[in-house]
Amino acid sequence: MATAAEAQAMRHAVALAARGLGHTSPNPVVGCVVLDAGGRVVGEGWHQRAGGPHAEVHALRAAGERARGGTAVVTLEPCDHTGRTGPCSQALIAAGIARVHYAVADPTAQAKGGAATLAAAGVAVDVGLLADEAEAVNEPWLTAMRRGRPFVLWKFAATLDGRSAAADGTSRWITSAESRADVHRLRAEADAVVVGSGTLRADDPHLAVRDREGATQPLRVVVDTGATIKPGARVLDDAAPTLIAVAEDAGIAHLPRRPGVETVRLPRAETGLRIPALLAELHGRGVRSVLLEGGPTLAGAFLAAGAVDKVVGYLAPVLLGAGPAALADAGITTIAQALRLETADVTRLGPDLRVTAAPIAVPATAPSPRRTEVFTGIVEELGEIVAIEHLGDASRFQVRGPLVTEGAKHGDSIAVNGVCLTVVDIIEDAEGTRFSADVMAETLNRSGLGALDIGSRVNLERPMALGGRLGGHIVQGHVDGTGAIVDRKLSEHWEIVKISLPAELSRYVVEKGSITVDGISLTVVDAGSDYFTVSLIPTTLALTTLGVKQAGDPVNLEVDVLAKYVERLLGRDNGTQDKEATS
């Protein structure tokens, strides 16, 4: 249990960490306060820039010998690796710190482990003090580490009737000077500011930070699919570095070549460039936070890709009645698909209102409500679990599967070992494409997904497209129960696998009937009250996880949906007949 002095120290450490926003990428912002053995503050510090001393080192230097026997309060788990600086865990041990309170665990494989090192050295370690506050100040970096792409904050300015400009295209100025000054704060805290070519042509924005003393200028990014930027554009000056993102087939001979201006080629989407590819490129350049400034078309593309983590809207008490909306097509066609936000803050800036909100997480263990998904049980790809993030009693899985993620977007469904999951993010990097999906506690407990670990191989299938050929049988992606491999017997051309069967499912499993095992459509060879057998051909053994399952390994089971419908219909008929017989 933390003391009042330790809680106050953590609150101050969070404030110290905030001073590093916009200066530390690709590193996190971190604050640290050191208390002596009597609970008095004797040192403090924050991570001020990438490559410089970490927060703990600054605080320990300030404390000196007074740190011995004292307590270190730090917003993020002390690192345990040697990079451009040494491990903070060892610095704390060497300083004689007796107790460490840290708020949030380090999610990176490279740096985590400091808590265990401290504990092994006899230091008392506590985690979770003011965790919500520490998460909030480090939200961009934590999001980037957990999702493998930069954190994206979409900022827009609009009238009360939702217009971002007048009918003639003019937009200077819809909002007040106070709102515009606040935008420079957001730019100063971001690693990159992104706009589209439409905004560039309409407004010729500069995108650099002004009137913020000591600010690190963000990377200015122009999404210019057709390479239409003019040589005199203001973003091409030397006030800040600029990256022009163009299509792979765009002609670039006419683009300016000058220090501080780079061009990168990215794959096309149906319109514009692929947003996951853009974010992967930025992430590879050390960008951990993106401020998306527009315009409406680019904002729609980011939202359609599920790549907006927070929204800040500046609303002016102005009415226009006509002109472009703040948001263009985001792939939303009905009210049921509307992206719902949770309001985090409403602040008045001069005459305007600044509204801060974030998308509400939707449980991702069932298909999107806008359509019913149907699978066939024909596995398309053998994927791999590459990351698992525990979110309370739920988990977020990152699954590598280049084939099933091709053309996929936020909200689509993919079956993982026969469990229908909803895509939260598409992530592209040098190692390929992967998707993330949230799995709620009920699904983890009722299926075999809870037993998966990083490196586990999984069967992947996309839903059947309208008009597609049904190759297996109708599969819903809703697991009815779990079984386990009982026995495997080799024959000359195939392998017979015996699988245990929950008693409540036995009435649906019959010889020559269909069953789905870990998402694979199979025909039942033999069935008993507590087991069934299937015959696996070499192709199935080679291309699915059933080729490596051993006795005792769990499997997800989904029985034939038609059998359940038949049972219901027969049950109604029998009930009707019984009533007629007694009348």
Side-chain angles (χ1 to χ4, degrees), residues 230-553:
K230 301 300 183 184
R234 297 171 68 207
V235 294
L236 299 178
D237 68 11
D238 60 1
T242 299
L243 179 68
I244 306 170
V246 303
E248 292 172 327
D249 57 353
I252 61 172
H254 65 288
L255 293 182
R257 298 181 182 180
R258 63 187 67 166
V261 178
E262 291 185 71
T263 301
V264 62
R265 293 185 179 275
L266 297 175
R268 286 181 180 269
E270 290 184 14
T271 57
L273 301 179
R274 283 181 55 82
I275 300 304
L278 172 65
L279 293 175
E281 175 66 28
L282 295 177
H283 193 268
R285 291 171 176 263
V287 171
R288 298 295 177 259
S289 61
V290 164
L291 176 62
L292 175 63
E293 289 210 28
T297 301
L298 188 61
F302 267 77
L303 283 166
V308 172
D309 301 296
K310 184 174 285 187
V311 179
V312 173
Y314 296 89
L315 302 180
V318 176
L319 299 175
L320 287 174
L327 178 63
D329 181 20
I332 298 170
T333 57
T334 71
I335 195 65
Q337 299 173 23
L339 180 62
R340 304 290 178 178
L341 308 178
E342 182 176 359
T343 302
D345 177 70
V346 178
T347 298
R348 184 162 183 168
L349 298 174
D352 306 332
L353 290 180
R354 183 190 66 200
V355 180
T356 303
I360 297 173
V362 177
T365 56
S368 168
R370 64 181 178 271
R371 60 188 183 272
T372 299
E373 306 287 20
V374 175
F375 301 89
T376 68
I378 303 299
V379 173
E380 295 184 85
E381 183 175 16
L382 195 58
E384 180 184 359
I385 304 294
V386 296
I388 300 176
E389 177 190 354
H390 298 294
L391 307 170
D393 59 355
S395 293
R396 173 166 292 173
F397 285 50
Q398 286 190 19
V399 185
R400 193 174 305 286
L403 178 61
V404 298
T405 53
E406 183 177 353
K409 59 184 183 298
H410 175 78
D412 285 350
S413 296
I414 295 176
V416 178
N417 278 358
V419 182
C420 178
L421 301 179
T422 301
V423 173
V424 173
D425 250 331
I426 300 292
I427 306 158
E428 297 182 9
D429 56 26
E431 298 180 2
T433 308
R434 61 190 186 273
F435 70 92
S436 64
D438 293 343
V439 187
M440 300 299 106
E442 180 185 10
T443 301
L444 291 171
N445 295 331
R446 293 188 59 184
S447 73
L449 296 189
L452 297 177
D453 203 348
I454 295 174
S456 295
R457 305 290 278 174
V458 289
N459 302 314
L460 303 176
E461 182 193 357
R462 291 170 291 189
M464 185 176 68
L466 183 65
R469 184 170 63 88
L470 181 61
H473 70 281
I474 296 175
V475 178
Q476 294 182 302
H478 301 303
V479 172
D480 294 309
T482 58
I485 304 295
V486 176
D487 187 30
R488 306 181 71 117
K489 292 182 179 179
L490 290 171
S491 68
E492 185 177 356
H493 298 294
W494 56 80
E495 186 171 347
I496 301 296
V497 179
K498 184 177 181 180
I499 301 173
S500 64
L501 181 66
E504 65 270 17
L505 300 183
S506 62
R507 63 184 183 274
Y508 303 116
V509 182
V510 297
E511 184 179 336
K512 304 303 180 185
S514 297
I515 192 167
T516 305
V517 179
D518 270 357
I520 306 162
S521 175
L522 298 171
T523 300
V524 176
V525 174
D526 183 30
S529 61
D530 61 355
Y531 77 92
F532 66 95
T533 62
V534 291
S535 177
L536 304 181
I537 61 176
T539 298
T540 304
L541 293 170
L543 299 181
T544 74
T545 57
L546 289 186
V548 296
K549 292 279 187 178
Q550 302 296 320
D553 287 347

Side-chain angles (χ1 to χ4, degrees), residues 539-570:
T539 298
T540 304
L541 293 170
L543 299 181
T544 74
T545 57
L546 289 186
V548 296
K549 292 279 187 178
Q550 302 296 320
D553 287 347
V555 290
N556 296 321
L557 303 177
E558 181 183 335
V559 298
D560 192 343
V561 65
L562 295 179
K564 290 187 282 187
Y565 280 123
V566 169
E567 179 188 54
R568 175 170 291 186
L569 290 171
L570 290 177

Side-chain angles (χ1 to χ4, degrees), residues 124-142:
V125 180
D126 297 292
V127 60
L129 178 61
L130 299 187
D132 289 345
E133 289 90 333
E135 281 261 358
V137 76
N138 224 355
E139 182 182 22
W141 184 83
L142 289 169

Side-chain angles (χ1 to χ4, degrees), residues 1-2 6 10 71-78 99-107 112-116 118-119 123-132 134-135 142 146:
M1 180 69 70
E6 290 166 344
M10 181 64 80
T71 298
V73 178
V74 60
T75 56
L76 186 69
E77 178 183 6
R99 176 178 293 276
V100 171
H101 281 285
Y102 70 93
V104 179
D106 193 313
K112 70 180 182 181
L118 289 165
V123 178
V125 180
D126 297 292
V127 60
L129 178 61
L130 299 187
D132 289 345
E135 281 261 358
L142 289 169
R146 291 164 177 166

